[in-house]
Structure formats: C-alpha cells, structure tokens
Amino acid sequence: MVPGEENQLVPKEIENAAEEPRVLCIIQDTTNSKTVNERITLNLPASTPVRKLFEDVANKVGYINGTFDLVWGNGVNTADMAPLDHASDKSLLDANFEPGKKNFLHLTDKDGEQPQILLEDSNNMDDSVHDRFIGPLPREGSVGSTSDYVSQSYSYSSILNKSETGYVGLVNQAMTCYLNSLLQTLFMTPEFRNALYKWEFEESEEDPVTSIPYQLQRLFVLLQTSKKRAIETTDVTRSFGWDSSEAWQQHDVQELCRVMFDALEQKWKQTEQADLINELYQGKLKDYVRCLECGYEGWRIDTYLDIPLVIRPYGSSQAFASVEEALHAFIQPEILDGPNQYFCERCKKKCDARKGLRFLHFPYLLTLQLKRFDFDYTTMHRIKLNDRMTFPEELDMSTFIDVEDEKSPQTESCTDSGAENEGSCHSDQMSNDFSNDDGVDEGICLENNSGTEKISKPGLEKNSLIYELFSVMVHSGSAAGGHYYACIKSFSDEQWYSFNDQHVSRITQEDIKKTHGGSSGSRGYYSSAFASSTNAYMLIYRLKDPTRNAKFLEVDEYPEHIKNLVQRERELEEQEKRQREIERNTCKIKLFCSHPIKQVMMENKLEVHKDKTLKEAVEMAYKMMDLEEVIPLDCCRLVKYDEFHDYLERSYEGEEDTPMGLLLGGVKSTYMFDLLLETRKPDQVFQSYKPGEVMVKVHVVDLKAETVAAPITVRAYLNQTVTEFKQLISKAIHLPAETMRIVLERCYNDLRLLSVPSKTLKAEGFFRSNKVFVESSETLDYQMAFTDSHLWKLLDRHANTIRLFVLLPEQSPGSYSKRTAYQKAGGDSGNVDEDCERVTGPVGSLKSVEAILEESTEKLKSLSLQQQQDGDNGDSSKSTETSDFENIESPLNERDSSASVDNRELEQHIQTSDPENFQSEERSDSDVNNDRSTSSVDSDILSSSHSSDTLCNADNAQIPLANGLDSHSITSSRRTKANEGKKETWDTAEEDSGTDSEYDESGKSRGEMQYMYFKADPYAADEGSGEGHKWLMVHVDKRITLAAFKQHLEPFVGVLSSHFKVFRVYASNQEFESVRLNETLSSFSDDNKITIRLGRALKKGEYRVKVYQLLVNEQEPCKFLLDAVFAKGMTVRQSKEELIPQLREQCGLELSIDRFRLRKKTWKNPGTVFLDYHIYEEDINISSNWEVFLEVLDGVEKMKSMSQLAVLSRRWRPSEMKLDPFQEVVLESNSVDELREKLSEISGIPLEDIEFAKGRGTFPCDISVLDIHQDLDWNPKVSTLNVWPLYICDDGAVIFYRDKTEEVMELTDEQRNELMKKESSRLQKTGHRVTYSPRKEKALKIYLDGAPNKDLTQD
C-alpha cells in the first residue's frame, strides 16, 4: 500500500499498473502558528507539472494560488531554500523531486505577505455554500465546510482583510457570541448609532476605560471604518467591569439587552441621551381587572422594553403557529371565578371578573422575545422548545392596540383596590420590565396622567402601526448551552446579512425562514425534541414611519468629536499594522550561551528582523546575555545549535553581512534548531563547524589514579574509520594512538569498545552528539577482555555513581556525640569498602579518634556475628540487640563524665523499654519538625498495593475522602466480615508491605554479597543547617541496596543500621522515609539530600504508624501524638499495650487499656472503631506510614461488635442559635427509627419532634449557625442510614439534630451582623467556609464603576 492524495492507502497494484513513478509530497504550512503542526500529503505522478502542484496545494489548504511560496524543507544549504516557480511547466521529476521518497516542502509567505484565503475570491456570494450557511459556521478560512486542514479557532491572519460585504465582524473572546449578536444589532440600528455618535465624552469627568458609552462609540467607529475582517470587544467588556473569566460565561442575550440598557440609562443621566432608551424601545400596557357584574374596572399602567411570547401554552403539547397567534394569547383575558373571585369595591363583595393586559402604546423599536427555554417538571431539567413559530417580515400591530378605553365610561373610575394582587395576572408571560416604572401606580386615571395625550390616541396610531423586521437573533443548541448569531437587514441596501462573530456574509429571505424552527411532520408532544436546534430567539422590528425612519450618518456628517475619534482610531490601526508587519518579518529563535565565567548555560529568545545582518544579530545577542563587561564583542559569534542533542551544527564563517532571514531559512513561527552565542578567550581561535560533522565529547581516563577527566570537544565525520578517529583524538589530547582504547557510551550504561580499526564511526553507532572515554597506557589491562578489564569496571562505576548529601543526627547516642572523624582500621573487612576515603579530623585528636573507631568497629563486628547466631529466635534476637548495644562503650567515657551519665541514662532506658530503643530520641527530633510529623511514606512505595489509603499529598497529608465513605480496609466491608471468617492474604504481603528484613536467612548482610562503590567526605553545609549538624558528601553506586547503604553509614552514625532511619528530602523540605531495604538507590539522583534519624528501623512484617489523638469537642480535633510500630499478626489490644508506656513517656498521658480506643483515620475524618480482638493484616488492612486515631473514652467501651455503628451527634438549638458539644451514639443496626430513639433518649426531645440531618464535608463538619437551619437536608425520608442521601455505612458520621417545635431566634440587624462576624472568625480558624451552597449560575452584571464591589462579609 502507498499513501494516496486524500491520505488514504492506495493498492500497490494501481501504482504498478500505471507504470509511472509517483512523488510523495508532504507540505507544512509555516505561515501561521495555528497550522504549523498540520501536514498536507499529496501523492502525484512524477510527470505532474510544478504549476499543477501549486494548484493542488492551493485547493487543499484553501489559499489563492500565487499568494504563497513552496520551499524545500529537507535541504541543508541555504542555496536549496529558493522557492519553487509557481508558473513552471517542469515536471516534478525534472524539478528534483525524488519518486518513492518523502519530499518535504514548506508553505511560506510570498514577498512578506501572508497567503490570501480562497473564500475571499468568490464572486457569486449568493450561490456560495459558505455564505448560505446559517448557524455555526465552518472552520475559519476553509472552503465550504469540507476542509480538514485549517484549525477550528480562527487565525490572526483571518482578521486582517475586511469582508467583501463591507461589514466588520466581532471576535468571540470565548463565549461572547451573545454579546456580539446584540452589539451588531445596535450598530445596524440607525437611530441608536446616530444618537450614540451625538453624545460627547468628557475625559475630564470620567475614565475612558470604564465609560460604557465611549467604548461603544469606539467600537461602532471601528465597525464602520476598520479595514480588518473582525475587531476585538475586550475594551467594551472591560468597561462593563468584567475580567477574563466573564468571557467563559455564556448568558442570555435578552438578559444582556436589559442589563446593558439599564447601564446606559445610568451613564446618560443629565445628558441629551438620558431618555434615548425609552424613546426607542419602551412601550406601555394596561394591567386590568373588570368586574363582570357592575362593569367596574381597576387597572395599572406598566412599561415594557420587550414582549415575551410563550412558544407553548402551559400544559399544552401544541405550540403557537405564529408570532401573531402568540400576541393574541398574550392579551387574552382570563376569568376569575370560584375561589379566585375578585373583591369589587363597588359591589362590596367577591364577584366574577375578567383579568388581562391591553397594549396602550407600542415603541418605535419593537422587541419580541420567543420564550424557547422552559422547565420540564417530569425530568426536572431545563429544556429548549424548538417548535416552529413563524414571524412575518412586516407585522401589523394595529389589531393589538387597546381602543376600549376611549369607549368605556367605566375606565374613568379609579381605584386603589390592589388589582395586582388579585388573580394570576399572566405571571407566566410577564417580563420583569412590566413593573419597573415606580412612578406609575395602579388606580391612576388616564385623564389625570401626564402621558394621557400620547396614550389616548390609539385611533391615530392604528393606521401607522406597520413594523418591518430588521434583526433576528438566532440561538443554536440546547438549554445547557449553544451559540448565538444575528441575521440583520441593512437599511442602506435592504439586504440581509449574517453576523456570526468574526464572519459576515450575505444571506437571503429563504435563510431567514429557516430560523422559524420546527421540523417536517408531526411528532406530537415531543416534536421539538426532533426539530432543528437552530431557531429565532429575539426579533426586533422598526416602525415604518417615513417621518421618523433615519439613515446612517455618513463620514462627512459626523460630529467633530467623532471625526477626531475616527482619526485617532485610524492612526492606531496604522500603527498596529506597522507593528504587525514588523512582527511578521521578525525571526524569533531560542538563544543559548555558556557564561565564560559562571560556566552556566543561559537561555533567552533572540528577536531579530530578517533584514538584520549576522554581525548585527551577534551584537544584539551579546547585549542580551549581558556580556559587555565580561568579554570583548569580537570574542563572540553565533553558531547553529541543537540544544536537545547538545550539538553544534555549523558555524557561519564569512557570512557576517548575510541577512538573518536568509541564514535561518525565512521567518517562521518555530525553528527546528537554535542559536548558540559561542565565546572564546582573546588568545584562542574559533573552530570551524561544517555541516555533516558530528560532535564528540572526549573524556580522558587515568587507570592509575582512577579518575575520569572533564570532556574536551572534537569534531569528526561519520565516514571516518576508527583508526582515523584515533589519530584525530591523539592530536587533540596528545596521547599515543597505538595503545589508545576508545569506549563509546551510546546510551546510559551501554559501553562499546571501538575495536575494529577499519569500521566507520557511522557503523559504530555515532550520531550528531557523542560521548567517548579514551585511555592510553601500556598496562596488561589492555590485553584483557573488555568486560573483565579495569577500564570497564571504572567506567561502569563512573556511570552508576551518584553524589548524595547526608545529614547525620544532631547528637549520636552516648560518647559518639563527641566523635569528630572516622577512619577505618587497616585490617578490617567490615562494612566500609577499601575504597572508602579517610575522613580526618583535627590533627591534635587524630590518634585518640583512630583508637576509638577501631574499638567501635570491632564491637559492631562482634555484634553482627552474634546476631547471625541468634537470628532464628525472634525473642532472643530482641534481647540480644539490647544487651549488645549496651556493651558498646568508648574510651572517651573516662574524659567526659557528663557523656557517661547520658549514656547510663540511655542504657537504663534500653533495659526497661520495648525494642523501640530510640523512640524517645526520635521523638525529640520530631518535636523540632512537628509540622512534618517526622516520617512519611517514601515516594518509592506510593504505588504499593497496601498503601492506597495512606497516599500523601503535597502537604504531606493523606488524600481527603468524603466523611463516612471509604473504599478500603475494614471500612467498606466491616458489616460482613463477621460472617466471612479469616481474610485471605497474599503470599507476597511481606514484600509489598514496604518493609524487608535487613538480613537474609543465613544472617549474612545482603549488602556484603556484591562489591559496590562507596566513598564519604565531610561536607560544610549551609549556615541554615544549624549548629551540631554534620553533613557527609557520599559518592555511592546507585545499584547498592538500601540495606547495604545503611551498613556503610553505620560508623558515621555510631549505631547499628537497625537503629537508625533514612529519610529522603524532597522539594520544600518534605521528608519521606525509605524503608524498602532490598531496593536499590536507582531512584536517587545527583545531589539528593538524605536525613538520618535515630530510632529502630522496621523489621519484616512491621509498619510504622502515626498516632493522632481525636478530640471531637476541641477547636483542632486532630493532634499528633507519636510514631509507633505495629506488626502483622498483632491484635489491636497488643498494640494498645505497647502504646501505653510510650504515651506516658512521650506525651504525658496516663491511660489504662480499657479507657481508650483506636480507630481508622481518613484525612481528618474518624472512621471504623477497631475492636480489641481485631488482627492487623487479617481484619484490618495496614500499610507503611499508616495513620490511626487514638480516642480517650469517658467511660466503658460501648463498641463490642462489628455489627454496631457509632455516630457522632450534635444538637442544634435554634432558639439560642448555638450548637451543643458532640455526643457519641452507638446503634445496634442502621435503622433510622433506632437513631431517633437514641437521640430522644440523650436529649429529652419527644420522639415525634426529632429532626436530623447528616453533616457535610470534613470532620467536624462545621457550618455557620446562621445557615444550619435551612441549608442542611433535614429529616430525610428514608428508613435506613445506608441509602441516599445519607450513605452512613461506617463509624464516625456526624449527625445534627433539633426539636422541630423549637422556633428560630429572631435577630435584629445588629445582632445578625455581630453573629456573622463571630461565625466567620470561628469557621476561618477551623478552615471551614462560612456558608455552604452548591454551585450556582453566575448572574450577568454590568458594573458602572468599571469593577465589581467585593464585599467580604457576603458569600
């Protein structure tokens, strides 16, 4: 198969049948950052003319042929970068295209101008598929809607050329299509635009950035005069007080219309335009109630800016067929009878009445909102009604005007009977704007109204109420979201246009009819579900009145301030165009430079005009890297560089006057290479780098000194032989080539000896950038097999050695705290390798230190041998550890009596305590780092199968889970475990648990099985490390196991490896304990830091557990106590017994075993209560760095069985506005009735008056007393606790309860504000929000001062 023209696979037989080779062309469009990653593939016959190639590319990408260039993309020399001739009749074969291979081409700008979009060349716009498209448009710049080339988001080049319609589009910021539709409609309204132009902005009175009318003026001027295809609306939205997040909020266009009109009215107060909105858009109607017995009528005048029309009557499955039908329904009165009778002031009784609305006055610009968004009470979701509703191009409103008022004498009677409160008043159809006129109240007579003259002339208006449609705002999508665009008729040429964000196109009357909605055929109630989702949402009509119908102001008719504004905007646009031209001709490429003094690689971006010469670019880079006072300019040059491979591709000798655009291959959005500002010393000469060369970093190896020198760089050719390469290196490093051995490191730990003299470097695996090791000596090592040679071992060690910084304990136990140095005894074959470098201390104390360390080493050896003998007996080994450590003494005891006393105290502690020999020492260390609470889980074991519920987050704490919900451990299945019997465990639990024994079955240290490199040096750390701390700089083979590494550290720490712990230090000084002794240090890297802490290390099957105290009624309910060690197979009671002395010594807590319990801790939430007979690993899943709660009991333990359920209850007293302390309630089942009974018992509230709700969030589920009464889900209608919405399946859930007969305290404003402050302070201290509320839709607001007011006291 071979690639075809449409990226499909073409059978090979077709190619053979044609008996003509084909050329595979891959074209990359580099003219635009949006398309730089796109590829066009064409598979053409070799005889195809180059001219035809350009035509095919133009059709494929949607550009006009002749407005772009094609340049070779796989050539190296700049001579190959000349563009192809788009008019050439040469065949592809004659034009140097290679059949059967990939021919890479770059599509570039022609003469510095970006390609023109093919769409703009269309002459017959009425017949084009694109212009007839109504709805969300195809991708910007595509041909029709079939192109698969251009990105969906419009490119910047697409907004540079104005549409052939003469109109300018608006850029969609993200979801601002609703705003664009309204702005274009207002712009295309002559009366609004002309009035806006007459308003003059006074800069001395207001900030132009926050002035909404001024920014609308600027926008309209740009829409009328700009040469761009589309302009931005960010200045307008900024004047609304919106930030960038508002662009991602979609709102209703009708809501925006009303909010914007309100804002404009506020801004235009005390100006000539103060009443502009009312004059253009405001109408009046009468809301009346008429008694059917006496004819008396009460009424009120309301104003409106738009008329909301229902699509379907309430409860009906049939939609109104037309706007006229919906208008008739809008004014159709309803009869108030039966229980809805109206109290007539004249009859003095309740009577049947007619209630309805009558239009008194229609505005000049009539706005109709089609209420397509509704609420489905069956599914309880918002829905969109897509039913068909027609609307005429001309609408006669004379049939809807009220003429009855002039004829009926009853209307002369006025009343303040409160008609508004009688009946329904078509509340489902009324807009909020109907009652926004506070100056007109019900019961005002027409004859006394100041507007009587205007209102009481319906007869005169009746003949002139013909309205013509000029704007249709269309919504495409669902109730959950969609897209707005506007179809607008121009009053200049009577032509309809589609304004769809940045695209403006001509449309026809047929396209307007498509927005009526609906579908063919009838589907009953669900017909709208199958209809098109693109339909009209808002209609705007203009009254046909030649005396009032205005035309747009021409440029020469502009007021003077608008002419000045036009001039300023033109100058800004020209300046932007010039800047854009500069940007389009600026090469932007990564620039690197190795600082000649600091020896660090610096990075920047070089922006240089394509016409600047290389010499000028070097000067710019020289200044950019701040080298003026470091090195002369003539000691710098720019070279082509590959930063990824650290490879110098070529230098530019003799091209100092060549333009950068030519050197770099043109102006591109991205380059496949970088530039390096290379420097030299004044007495050095720059080396020439030629294309095709490879770079080799050469490290010289000294076998005698066992050192590897820093690299020097040489350049070679891939076709050179190994012999020629040796000669080249011999000249560079002055070593004899005859005895030279060269080792190539192709990748990590892959060493290859170049042993075949005639083999080329390419055959040996050399690439652009290479690393070799060179050794030239006359030792016998030369004759050995490479993998057995000293050279291989040295290089293998070099490749695997890392440097670590180890922080030793502040004070080692006993006399070891005074130790200043360590030196290994000469005849010792213990843990420290012979390659361990001597660490020397002060000269005066050298002899005594040697004696001390020799004796201590012998003690450690004898202890290790004794452990081997007693390794099979766990109890005896435990006692051996204690006694052996007691026997380690130091000669320094004779000099330092205080140290001797300290040591005796330590010995006494060891004799009387558990095997946790250094628990107290470790605790003192954790006091210093209480925030980190000492040890945490090592990152190496985060994926352990037994560690999923102790994963740590960035704050060194467990990942929080919902209160009462847990998918792990005994929690999820505790109610069924009693019937399951013993839990099945894996055979590999010991390995997966994250702990391993330090010794194998034979007692031999695993670290001694294989030689691994280890070297330690004293290191002077930063001042911030504190006094008394000692650092080691350790070079170690990272293939060493953690167990062996700890044994190497024993002499430096002064205790056995089983009595100290290793913590890996991460960013922000977070520490995680490394506990997997059989794992290597392969996860460590150079310069990692390690902290050593005293304390017994874990044995096989043991786990380190962090114990926290649960204080349910304290402000901070979670308090860290200590680190403990629990073992597999241990019962909960046994762990409690071991905790008691530790709690007494470390925390000062005197507890008896029956007066406290342990329970699961999930984040800060208390969970399952662990019963004394539970066994770790069998009944309770346990893992490394596990966390548990310790809870002190007030009385005897009530939890006896796993079938019981313990919840924490808290009474809410609304009459006192306070919460009582927590009380535990133990239930025998998950019955709601039992919970009510228990709550009634402890509170004294009658059972029938108990109401309860589950707490939300993390324990203690705090909530403001101002919100608790209404925000919680009180009294859920369930019979068991383990179903929605409670889901209480485990211990520790929080239950609030109250007496439903208790009334809420009435608060004055002052009391409420005071209580709000107290609650805010209380909840902020506990880390809880003041209120709880689900996410709400964001209301649309326009801020008149340019920014929202942030009231911190409100949510």
Side-chain angles (χ1 to χ4, degrees), residues 184-207:
Q184 291 283 21
T185 298
L186 296 178
F187 172 73
M188 296 294 286
T189 306
E191 293 77 10
F192 185 88
R193 190 204 300 182
N194 295 346
L196 181 65
Y197 281 174
K198 291 177 183 177
W199 175 81
E200 184 172 359
F201 173 68
E202 297 291 343
E203 192 165 356
S204 59
E205 298 179 2
E206 190 177 4
D207 184 359

Side-chain angles (χ1 to χ4, degrees), residues 309-361:
L309 299 180
V310 174
I311 300 294
R312 285 189 208 160
Y314 180 75
S316 172
S317 61
Q318 188 69 33
F320 292 122
S322 64
V323 163
E324 295 95 321
E325 190 175 330
L327 282 168
H328 279 293
F330 184 83
I331 59 175
Q332 178 68 32
E334 62 174 323
I335 301 299
L336 303 180
D337 56 5
N340 293 327
Q341 279 187 325
Y342 163 71
F343 185 84
C344 178
E345 290 292 335
R346 180 175 294 176
C347 300
K348 301 298 182 184
K349 65 175 182 176
K350 284 192 173 183
C351 306
D352 290 349
R354 180 185 295 116
K355 176 177 173 56
L357 302 170
R358 299 193 189 111
F359 289 112
L360 301 179
H361 169 68

Side-chain angles (χ1 to χ4, degrees), residues 122 193 280 313 379 400 411 423 542 635 872 902 961 1105 1157 1159 1296:
S122 176
R193 190 204 300 182
L280 295 179
T379 63
F400 306 102
T411 60
R542 185 176 78 162
C635 291
D872 295 334
D902 293 341
L961 302 176
V1105 179
R1157 65 160 67 132
R1159 65 190 305 168
F1296 294 99

Side-chain angles (χ1 to χ4, degrees), residues 805-1044:
F805 294 100
V806 180
L807 176 63
L808 299 175
E810 185 175 354
Q811 286 188 345
S812 298
S815 60
Y816 285 96
S817 63
K818 300 296 183 181
R819 177 172 50 81
T820 59
Y822 169 77
Q823 183 172 356
K824 180 177 167 287
D828 186 16
S829 59
N831 296 329
V832 183
D833 189 76
E834 290 180 357
D835 282 6
C836 179
E837 188 173 295
R838 275 71 172 157
V839 181
T840 59
V843 177
S845 61
L846 182 59
K847 185 174 180 179
S848 61
V849 169
E850 290 177 357
I852 295 169
L853 296 178
E854 183 176 354
E855 184 176 348
S856 65
T857 303
E858 292 299 325
K859 292 290 185 181
L860 290 172
K861 286 178 61 181
S862 63
L863 173 59
S864 179
L865 292 173
Q866 189 168 353
Q867 281 182 321
Q868 295 174 26
Q869 297 169 4
D870 299 336
D872 295 334
N873 191 325
D875 295 333
S876 63
S877 65
K878 187 181 295 185
S879 61
T880 300
E881 288 175 13
T882 304
S883 60
D884 284 341
F885 188 78
E886 292 169 7
N887 294 331
I888 299 177
E889 297 178 357
S890 169
L892 287 181
N893 288 348
E894 299 174 3
R895 301 186 195 176
D896 192 343
S897 60
S898 63
S900 178
V901 172
D902 293 341
N903 197 35
R904 284 195 297 271
E905 291 177 357
L906 177 62
E907 291 169 7
Q908 291 171 5
H909 170 68
I910 295 173
Q911 291 170 354
T912 58
S913 69
D914 211 56
E916 308 260 314
N917 294 339
F918 292 96
Q919 194 67 39
S920 61
E921 291 283 344
E922 184 185 5
R923 177 56 192 163
S924 64
D925 207 9
S926 67
D927 288 337
V928 180
N929 302 296
N930 195 30
D931 291 339
R932 295 195 298 271
S933 61
T934 66
S935 58
S936 300
V937 67
D938 186 12
S939 64
D940 300 339
I941 61 173
L942 285 181
S943 60
S944 170
S945 62
H946 292 276
S947 303
S948 61
D949 57 350
T950 57
L951 291 178
C952 293
N953 60 13
D955 296 327
N956 194 19
Q958 289 178 331
I959 297 175
L961 302 176
N963 185 30
L965 295 177
D966 193 7
S967 62
H968 213 35
S969 179
I970 187 174
T971 305
S972 58
S973 56
R974 69 187 302 275
R975 302 308 164 203
T976 58
K977 275 187 179 289
N979 301 322
E980 288 180 0
K982 186 175 179 180
K983 175 177 173 282
E984 182 179 349
T985 58
W986 295 346
D987 294 334
T988 58
E990 290 85 356
E991 284 73 17
D992 289 341
S993 68
T995 61
D996 291 286
S997 175
E998 191 167 345
Y999 299 94
D1000 61 13
E1001 293 178 359
S1002 66
K1004 184 176 180 180
S1005 171
R1006 294 179 180 177
E1008 296 180 285
M1009 291 182 179
Q1010 182 180 0
Y1011 162 80
M1012 291 295 175
Y1013 180 73
F1014 181 95
K1015 184 176 77 170
D1017 297 297
Y1019 174 69
D1022 299 334
E1023 296 179 0
S1025 61
E1027 297 181 3
H1029 287 290
K1030 297 175 184 178
W1031 286 86
L1032 290 179
M1033 182 169 64
V1034 176
H1035 290 84
V1036 62
D1037 193 315
K1038 60 183 177 183
R1039 293 169 295 184
I1040 196 173
T1041 63
L1042 179 62

Side-chain angles (χ1 to χ4, degrees), residues 250-268:
Q250 190 174 74
H251 294 290
D252 185 277
V253 67
Q254 185 259 354
E255 180 186 14
L256 172 68
C257 182
R258 284 194 279 154
V259 173
M260 185 188 291
F261 283 174
D262 286 344
L264 287 173
E265 285 185 316
Q266 293 295 323
K267 288 287 186 178
W268 276 335

